[in-house]
Amino acid sequence: MLSCLKFKYGLRIKISYTVSDIPKFKDCLLHWAQQFREVVWLDSNDHKDKYSSFDSILAVDALTAVVTDSLNAFHDLTEYQSETRDWIFGYLSYDLKNDIEQLSSNNLDGLHFPSLNFFQPKKLIRIKGNTVDFFYLNMVAEEIDDDYLTILDQQLSISDSKDSTKDPVRVKLRIFKDQYFGQVQKMLEHIHRGDIYEANFCQECYVVNTVIDPLSTYVKLNAISEPPFASFLKIDDKYVLSASPERYLKKEGNKIISQPIKGTAKRSLDHIEDQVLKEGLEKDHKERAENIMIVDLVRNDLSKSAVKGSVSVEELCKVYSYHQVHQMISTITAKVSRSKNPVEVIKETFPMGSMTGAPKISAMKIIERLEASKRGVYSGAIGYFTPQGDFDFNVVIRSILYNASNKYVSFSVGSAITAKASPEGEYEECLLKARAMREVLEN
């Protein structure tokens, strides 16, 4: 089937194919994508919910791009999105908070990613069910058939990327256990004084002077948990390999949807014990309190953009099960005016409340003082805008970040600190969240 989509600044040709073996095709597609300087791959891992738009999508090969630090970043993105009026893909780093409020990010940065990076792909490939849609800009549309056949041929070498990394690496902690306990205690002092009532405190794990294979690392990381918001991002020498279970924000017409996660419990191979762990999380007063605090924060954030009276909690403290952990998730929705600028909606809610705390600005200031590393893309967001101004972004957690030129690998983990938190318990939660990344990197 052949059809055309006309946009203000270009023309995209759509050709659709029916593919019988989608898992194999997805592997082939990711292999094929590695030739390009710019790659964004978003994969739902076959998770279906009422807000799913597709199963997977790949954007490669930039025609145009916007790259900036945090100064005037949202203004630059607004102009770029408005002028392009096309699909654009990329990331928002946590440090864009500095463009929204009088904040700073002065901690150690081993990764050196730009604060914001979006591009307009020449080639866009979407998977929905057994249908694969190729949306190519007119200038490269004649390449669709050849690309499709080339992608199918990739299956001959598909096993190569699933080999283990050549040399297992030794992950280091930016702060050690005793220091972590001390920083959590300082956070608790702020809570007891009333400066904040919740904050997400994170610590970095890193490896220096090492080389990893980004694709095989992503494949292994994704296979461990198969989360609903997985992503593989490559822009030149910088990579984000994400097994994120969390949606930050989606816009669908005049509806916006946020799904914060707060509350984690381990899984068990024993079915009865696993059910007990799940029910324990559902009834855990501390975890529910954390989740409800963030729901209130997100409701407040959405109200900045929302039509008055339209903010609604569709689902509160629902527990979902993934391969490694049970997670407590809430769903908050709102309506926005049709004339509301989509970038402005993001600016008014960024960063995700589950990664900051409440009150939000106070929490971000305290986080900056107590954490030892600049968060960068971690706890930011990866996603896309459509030509119609809709968007969907994940939260960058359970993710490995890699600067290939610097030979620097990093991942961070965190937990919500509330008045009832114990440093020991929060440390154990961080270790649980770090398990998949360590397993992949350390073999």
Side-chain angles (χ1 to χ4, degrees), residues 66-189:
V66 59
V67 184
T68 183
D69 61 16
S70 59
L71 182 64
N72 297 321
F74 281 103
H75 174 268
D76 294 344
L77 180 59
T78 300
E79 285 196 342
Y80 180 67
Q81 189 273 332
S82 299
E83 292 172 1
T84 306
R85 293 288 179 184
D86 193 6
W87 293 87
I88 59 173
F89 288 73
Y91 69 78
L92 308 154
S93 82
Y94 173 79
D95 304 296
L96 292 179
K97 63 183 176 58
N98 307 334
D99 188 38
I100 303 168
E101 306 291 348
Q102 293 297 311
L103 300 170
S104 61
S105 297
N106 301 311
N107 288 329
L108 177 70
D109 180 12
L111 286 161
H112 303 290
F113 282 50
S115 294
L116 179 150
N117 201 326
F118 278 83
F119 69 92
Q120 176 191 14
K122 294 178 187 174
K123 302 182 178 185
L124 184 64
I125 302 171
R126 182 183 67 189
I127 300 172
K128 196 170 185 178
N130 287 324
T131 301
V132 180
D133 299 317
F134 286 66
F135 297 91
Y136 277 28
L137 287 174
N138 190 52
M139 65 179 66
V140 293
E142 72 280 359
E143 300 175 22
I144 292 178
D145 285 334
D146 286 344
D147 284 352
Y148 174 65
L149 294 174
T150 302
I151 291 164
L152 293 180
D153 286 342
Q154 298 290 312
Q155 60 191 300
L156 299 175
S157 59
I158 200 64
S159 61
D160 295 348
S161 79
K162 295 186 178 179
D163 294 338
S164 297
T165 48
K166 295 176 184 177
D167 300 307
V169 298
R170 183 178 177 82
V171 174
K172 299 179 181 178
L173 300 177
R174 182 63 63 190
I175 59 176
F176 295 105
K177 189 174 182 178
D178 289 347
Q179 186 182 0
Y180 174 87
F181 285 3
Q183 297 299 77
V184 171
Q185 194 59 49
K186 291 177 183 177
M187 190 79 76
L188 287 169
E189 289 170 7

Side-chain angles (χ1 to χ4, degrees), residues 270-285:
D270 180 86
H271 175 72
I272 296 176
E273 183 183 9
D274 191 60
Q275 189 63 27
V276 169
L277 290 166
K278 181 179 180 180
E279 292 174 0
L281 178 58
E282 290 172 339
K283 298 173 182 176
D284 190 303
H285 295 299

Side-chain angles (χ1 to χ4, degrees), residues 16 24 89 103 135 192 243 272 308 333 345 367 387 401-402 430:
S16 301
K24 182 180 286 187
F89 288 73
L103 300 170
F135 297 91
H192 295 147
I272 296 176
K308 187 175 180 180
T333 65
V345 174
I367 285 166
L401 284 73
Y402 178 45
C430 288

Side-chain angles (χ1 to χ4, degrees), residues 218-237:
Y218 166 77
V219 168
K220 288 185 287 184
L221 181 64
N222 184 55
I224 289 173
S225 55
E226 295 185 343
F229 300 103
S231 57
F232 175 97
L233 180 143
K234 168 193 176 186
I235 300 182
D236 195 16
D237 61 343

Side-chain angles (χ1 to χ4, degrees), residues 9 44 76 211 252 402:
Y9 284 92
S44 71
D76 294 344
V211 175
E252 196 174 67
Y402 178 45

